[in-house]
Amino acid sequence: MTRTLFLNARLIDPKSGMDVKGGLLCEDGKILDVGAHISGADASQVVDCKGLVLAPGLIDMRVFTGEPGSEHRETLATASDAAVAGGVTTIIVMPNTDPVIDEPSLVDFIRRRAEATAKVRVHPMAALTQHLAGEVMTEIGLLKEAGAVAFTDGDRTIANTRVLRRALSYTSAFDALVVAHAEDPDLTKGAAASESEYAMRLGIPAAPAAAEVMIVERDIRLVELTGARYHFAQISTAASLEAIANAKARGLPITCGVSAHHLALNELDVGTYFTFMKVKPPLRSEADRQAMVDGVASGVIDVIVSSHDPQAADTKRQPYAQAAFGAVGLETLLPVALGLYHDGKAELAHVLKALTCTPAKLLGLASGKLEKGAPADLVLIDTDAPYVVDPSMLHSRARNTPFKGRKFQGRAVKTFVGGECVFERSGPK
């Protein structure tokens, strides 16, 4: 029996609204007690938090890995190394692997492989359609029974409206969450940027930003027909934000997320063809970026994700139009999100809510809160620590970060999973 006592902490629990100085006691991986009244207790280990923020460990709802099939990009083990360094204790992996996670045996493989190799909790989303082809839906009930926490085709939009309607009708019978990527596949085919004067000057093939809201509005109509629980994985335009806000106001079961890089970067950051800025959806205008920040602050945007998508160096060392999409982000997720707090856009607890209890609620997870009986998945955060991103110091197997040399304020100091310390920062790393 291992009992750990955390003392001298600023406890922030976005779920309950708690923000007090106090302590937390955990035993055998679960929280025994928490609050301002805890100043001492019998424990085999004592962690002096030195006044830093102790919060639920982060839950990242959008992580791509290369396992199985492309382990040279990232394995579940290396992704978990990056996660704990970023204060993330739960990662939700996408089914876009080789083979695609579209059968119960593959969901089981991911779970068993993660238990054997990863430091964090790993839950797979299963494919919504077989082979991610957008034509035939998968066995939703069996996949959910095997452990899939939601259903998605990852970074692919299902173009066939009839297939999507059937899938939504079917998933609603299981109260399963559908997570969608919103980009019109025909309008965006071959595009590498968002249409703008800047993209035109660089000569980069581009697609209109409206390609996103067109799918958002289509899918809102399908949710009206089916009543399915629907989550837009990441939006990037003010028009999409407005459409989703209106849908929420009508009481539809719709939620949405935004990636950290769409909160911090805009189309001008592409600079002179810096391919690490090539992400899907593409970086947008400064007005759209500011709308994303406002969306988090207002609560219309429910979660913030890393959209961690590691790529091999040779696929990024290409002309911009030919380079692979994707950026790593597990270690920069928290520093980017804290920028909203430091800029006065949102309270700290509000920012952490989008990274902890809200994704837990959407996915039906027991973590994401400081509550008696909950898993002791915790992160100790120094909100003022200066941080300059050095790609060579990242823990991910890939190095394609769009934040090279960027300065942030605040990062994870220690990370605990099930009460056990799985990461402790030493020195400037």
Side-chain angles (χ1 to χ4, degrees):
M1 182 175 70
T2 302
R3 177 177 284 200
T4 304
L5 176 64
F6 297 81
L7 291 174
N8 305 318
R10 178 186 172 188
L11 301 165
I12 296 184
D13 178 32
K15 182 175 184 291
S16 65
M18 178 175 62
D19 186 348
V20 298
K21 294 180 180 178
L24 182 147
L25 184 64
C26 68
E27 183 178 89
D28 290 344
K30 293 189 176 181
I31 297 173
L32 275 184
D33 201 0
V34 59
H37 61 283
I38 296 180
S39 57
D42 291 335
S44 53
Q45 299 179 66
V46 176
V47 178
D48 184 355
C49 298
K50 301 179 180 178
L52 300 179
V53 170
L54 187 65
L58 310 188
I59 299 170
D60 189 346
M61 278 187 67
R62 191 171 176 84
V63 175
F64 293 87
T65 72
E67 189 173 5
S70 299
E71 286 82 356
H72 63 286
R73 290 170 48 206
E74 191 86 288
T75 65
L76 294 171
T78 58
S80 77
D81 289 340
V84 296
V88 177
T89 54
T90 300
I91 61 175
I92 312 301
V93 294
M94 299 294 104
N96 305 57
T97 50
D98 185 13
V100 171
I101 310 301
D102 60 1
E103 295 182 3
S105 61
L106 293 167
V107 172
D108 185 58
F109 166 79
I110 292 292
R111 297 184 65 191
R112 286 186 290 106
R113 182 67 177 160
E115 287 175 1
T117 64
K119 298 175 181 174
V120 298
R121 303 184 196 277
V122 178
H123 299 284
M125 287 189 189
L128 186 60
T129 65
Q130 294 179 16
H131 313 301
L132 307 177
E135 295 297 332
V136 181
M137 67 180 180
T138 52
E139 294 286 351
I140 305 296
L142 294 177
L143 289 165
K144 187 176 182 184
E145 189 176 307
V149 293
F151 297 86
T152 182
D153 274 6
D155 61 354
R156 300 186 185 187
T157 299
I158 296 176
N160 189 318
T161 307
R162 177 173 294 185
V163 169
L164 182 56
R165 180 187 179 181
R166 286 177 176 170
L168 292 181
S169 297
Y170 201 68
T171 55
S172 63
F174 292 94
D175 192 32
L177 180 69
V178 172
V179 178
H181 179 74
E183 276 189 305
D184 185 286
D186 292 316
L187 270 180
T188 57
K189 187 176 182 179
S194 188
E195 262 183 15
S196 68
E197 181 182 344
Y198 190 67
M200 185 176 65
R201 286 181 180 179
L202 293 180
I204 299 175
E212 180 176 292
V213 72
M214 291 168 65
I215 297 298
V216 168
E217 292 180 335
R218 180 201 70 169
D219 292 359
I220 287 172
R221 297 286 184 180
L222 291 175
V223 172
E224 284 181 316
L225 287 173
T226 62
R229 289 202 297 134
Y230 204 81
H231 178 79
F232 292 102
Q234 48 176 10
I235 63 170
S236 61
T237 70
S240 298
L241 184 71
E242 182 180 0
I244 291 170
N246 291 336
K248 285 186 168 188
R250 300 204 304 276
L252 296 178
I254 287 174
T255 53
C256 67
V258 64
S259 76
H261 40 260
H262 284 99
L263 288 173
L265 303 169
N266 67 28
E267 60 188 353
L268 301 182
D269 288 301
V270 171
T272 53
Y273 307 98
F274 184 29
T275 58
F276 287 7
M277 298 288 176
K278 185 179 177 182
V279 293
K280 184 186 285 188
L283 297 177
R284 304 295 188 184
S285 67
E286 175 60 13
D288 282 325
R289 187 196 70 79
Q290 290 185 14
M292 296 302 98
V293 172
D294 293 341
V296 174
S298 67
V300 174
I301 294 178
D302 303 271
V303 301
I304 304 172
V305 298
S306 71
S307 205
H308 181 81
D309 193 0
Q311 298 293 337
D314 60 338
T315 63
K316 281 293 189 181
R317 290 177 185 151
Q318 299 281 341
Y320 198 90
Q322 284 79 49
F325 288 96
V328 296
L330 277 163
E331 290 180 63
T332 48
L333 172 62
L334 179 59
V336 172
L338 288 175
L340 275 65
Y341 160 64
H342 289 300
D343 291 343
K345 298 294 185 182
E347 297 294 328
L348 180 56
H350 185 79
V351 173
L352 292 175
K353 180 180 179 182
L355 296 162
T356 57
C357 61
T358 300
K361 181 180 178 181
L362 288 173
L363 298 167
L365 304 180
S367 54
K369 55 192 174 186
L370 301 184
E371 189 175 285
K372 292 180 182 178
D377 296 351
L378 310 165
V379 58
L380 191 62
I381 304 170
D382 184 345
T383 57
D384 295 320
Y387 172 39
V388 181
V389 179
D390 178 352
S392 69
M393 304 294 279
L394 296 176
H395 294 73
S396 176
R397 179 163 287 178
R399 296 287 184 268
N400 53 304
T401 173
F403 296 114
K404 178 183 178 181
R406 192 143 176 144
K407 299 176 181 176
F408 292 104
Q409 186 178 355
R411 62 193 311 202
V413 175
K414 292 183 180 181
T415 305
F416 301 84
V417 175
E420 293 187 15
C421 184
V422 291
F423 176 79
E424 181 173 2
R425 193 170 303 285
S426 59
K429 189 174 182 178

